[in-house]
């Protein structure tokens, strides 16, 4: 599946060029979970997310290896319910988080103005998937980026995802802060696009390891 990327340039008051870019995608586009380097003046970013496998079912599949209580492949949760999952990326292998989709908020087509999407945005309505990440393991997850959260349409198929590199005030995709240790929680956000005003983003999914086809798993979902 192809990915559509575009670039735009703005200028800060000090005269430094700040380049933003965006992408429309509806498929897995690589691991976004590598640790980000801290930078005091760097803008926040919304990590690219992947289209989730369709039709997860409650309790489907075997539980991935890990501690008791780990979410099962294909398991469905209610909005506001936490899913305990392993987080095995880069320097954070062996980490463990509680991931909670707290809300799915409908935006307006006007929210997409200024992103230089052109005809690609015609008729589309953005939805903002707000979720929290709690460190429930023993690993310091400073600067980790927990992506792979995407939208689900009413029929269970994957909504198109929108990745914005740069600050997007409507939906701030936050990496974990410095010193993100056991017990700490961070709020973040992912953007999903409904194809029309008549179709809604009704759920959300997480398709990171091990809940993906590469690991013979199935995304977990919130509805």
């Amino acid at each position: 599946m192809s990915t559509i990327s575009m670039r735009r340039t703005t200028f800060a008051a000090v005269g430094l060029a700040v380049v933003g870019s965006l992408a429309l995608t509806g498929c897995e586009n690589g691991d976004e979970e590598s640790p980000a380097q801290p930078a005091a003046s760097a803008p926040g970013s919304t990590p690219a997310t992947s289209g989730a496998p369709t039709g997860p079912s409650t309790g489907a599949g075997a539980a991935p290896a890990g501690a008791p209580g780990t979410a099962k492949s294909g398991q469905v949760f209610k909005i506001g319910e936490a899913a305990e999952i392993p987080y095995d990326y880069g320097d954070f292998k062996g980490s463990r988080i509680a991931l909670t989709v707290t809300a799915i908020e409908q935006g307006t087509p006007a929210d997409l103005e200024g992103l230089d999407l052109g005809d690609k945005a015609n008729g589309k309505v953005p939805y903002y998937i707000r979720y929290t990440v709690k460190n429930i393991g023993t690993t310091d997850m400073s600067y980790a980026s927990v992506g792979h959260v995407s939208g689900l349409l009413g029929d269970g198929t994957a909504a198109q995802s929108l990745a914005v590199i740069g600050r997007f005030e409507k939906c701030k995709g936050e990496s974990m802060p410095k010193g993100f240790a056991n017990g700490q929680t961070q709020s973040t956000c992912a953007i999903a696009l409904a194809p029309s005003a008549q179709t809604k983003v009704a759920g959300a999914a997480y398709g990171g390891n091990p809940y993906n086809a590469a690991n013979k798993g199935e995304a977990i979902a919130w509805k």
Side-chain angles (χ1 to χ4, degrees):
M1 189 174 297
S2 62
T3 298
I4 303 165
S5 299
M6 303 178 67
R7 301 186 68 84
R8 62 192 175 109
T9 304
T10 57
F11 293 90
V14 294
L16 297 177
V18 180
V19 180
S21 67
L22 54 90
L24 282 172
T25 177
C27 58
E28 189 81 34
N29 60 350
D31 173 22
E32 288 296 322
E33 317 292 9
S34 56
Q37 295 301 317
S41 60
S45 63
T46 299
T49 55
S50 61
T54 61
S57 57
T58 304
T70 299
K72 296 180 180 180
S73 178
Q75 189 170 354
V76 178
F77 297 86
K78 295 180 180 179
I79 301 293
E81 187 177 2
E84 296 185 10
I85 62 177
Y87 185 89
D88 291 317
Y89 290 95
D91 293 338
F92 306 111
K93 286 188 178 298
S95 299
R96 186 170 172 81
I97 62 174
L99 185 65
T100 306
V101 173
T102 58
I104 300 174
E105 299 174 359
Q106 182 177 342
T108 67
D111 295 346
L112 303 177
E113 294 177 0
L115 293 182
D116 298 332
L117 289 173
D119 293 343
K120 304 301 179 183
N122 287 352
K124 292 184 171 61
V125 179
Y127 282 75
Y128 307 123
I129 302 170
R130 306 197 185 278
Y131 61 103
T132 61
V133 178
K134 181 178 181 179
N135 187 342
I136 58 173
T138 58
T139 306
D140 184 339
M141 294 180 63
S142 297
Y143 311 117
S145 179
V146 180
H148 298 290
V149 173
S150 57
L152 295 173
L153 302 179
D155 62 1
T157 59
Q160 191 172 35
S161 295
L162 172 64
V164 178
I165 300 174
R167 201 72 171 176
F168 184 63
E169 293 300 323
K170 294 284 185 178
C171 187
K172 300 176 183 178
E174 305 285 1
S175 296
M176 305 306 104
K178 182 179 180 180
F180 192 70
N182 178 273
Q184 294 192 330
T185 300
Q186 174 68 39
S187 297
T188 186
C189 184
I191 308 170
L193 298 178
S196 69
Q198 290 71 43
T199 304
K200 296 184 179 298
V201 174
Y206 173 77
N209 292 340
Y211 307 99
N212 50 34
N215 292 280
K216 298 182 179 180
E218 184 181 357
I220 58 176
W222 287 261
K223 294 182 180 179

